[in-house]
Amino acid sequence: MYYKSVNRGLSLTTPGVYALVLVFVSGLIAVNTGTNALFLFLACGLSLILISGILSESAIKNYEIDGYLQHTAETGKPFELLIIVKNQHRYAPIYGFENYAVKKIPNSLILPAKPKETYGHGNVLSLPAKASKTIGMQMESMERGQYSSIKFLLRTNFPFGLIDKFKITEAKGFLIVLPKIIPDLYENLKRDYRRRVANRDDEREFFSHRPHSTQDSTRHVDWKKSAGKPTRHWVQKEYRSEVAEFGILLRTNWSIMLRTSTAETYEHMISVLRTAAEVVKEASRELVLLHQDGTYTVGYDAISQHLASIPQFDEKNTKWRHPESKSELKGIFLELELSADGYEWGEYISPASIMPTGSAT
């Protein structure tokens, strides 16, 4: 049973149920027979249960989760989440705590060995007074999204294992569960990207001059400017290719995504964007994602957070929020058009020609 007024709950363990029944039966027999030994057993049994309740209440009252550390996970994969636990009691240590990340509050009289609908769990064997430490929780796969807070069920049956005391707490932190990467698309896109840009470094044009050093080859010395001068006054031609320094602009038709009829297709399209972002990240290229309203987000981290925070399928028609880049785009970008069926390379474009493919409805 969970009591919202004090944010704590009480549940009997299986040994606790047996002990309570035994004490109750012993009390009935003692009353009917007048046997002193049974009265003594009754008093000891009730005292044991009472002491167990008092000690477990003191422990659960002073035990807290102070938050969880920043972490990035992927949809469909288990992971370890680091949480910070604290014992606020001034002088008493605590022992045997279980921590469950839960989806809803249990309300049964007897708390099951593992509460239903949990994300994961971790245990604390002991924690000194006025101390805190970081422990790892083994988490099951979670839905895509950003989690700034998670509810935890904290439980202990210290000291005798007769009574489960538990409470619900909400801890703050920063957890991002990214869309999954599509393996086949990832390999095909990476291979196609490498093949497409393999020869771009040869497309270079003269950029400027710089002083010649002894480590430089004489191949690119500008002899018109250097002939007849001491070696220290020679100048070297420097070449640069604007095309070779291009970034990648990710496009998709957002209106098609909003019109999808199944959650599987909806999530698949988001996963396609994440997969492309991973390929570009490995290539160390500037990455830009164009939104449905014509604004854009720059950088892998910002784009990943946006993809994780896109509303779930049931809420897809709510207003989307996304981080807009406040800096102007510069340079040249290679378009990469993405859809549920795959991808298609576009042309090299300048920032002025960037326009949205589809708009939200």
Side-chain angles (χ1 to χ4, degrees), residues 138-187:
Q138 299 304 315
M139 305 287 285
E140 299 175 359
S141 61
M142 298 177 67
E143 288 185 345
R144 174 184 56 80
Q146 288 192 43
Y147 297 83
S148 58
S149 65
I150 298 177
K151 288 185 178 180
F152 290 89
L153 182 147
L154 314 178
R155 179 172 76 173
T156 183
N157 54 26
F158 171 81
F160 305 123
L162 301 178
I163 298 175
D164 266 329
K165 283 289 184 69
F166 66 95
K167 69 178 179 181
I168 302 294
T169 186
E170 189 170 10
K172 304 292 184 180
F174 190 71
L175 170 63
I176 297 179
V177 181
L178 297 172
K180 65 181 180 180
I181 294 176
I182 305 172
D184 292 342
L185 176 63
Y186 176 83
E187 294 299 331

Side-chain angles (χ1 to χ4, degrees), residues 184 186-196 279:
D184 292 342
Y186 176 83
E187 294 299 331
N188 292 337
L189 187 55
K190 183 168 68 172
R191 184 168 52 251
D192 193 23
Y193 168 80
R194 288 175 176 173
R195 186 166 55 242
R196 187 177 183 85
V279 172

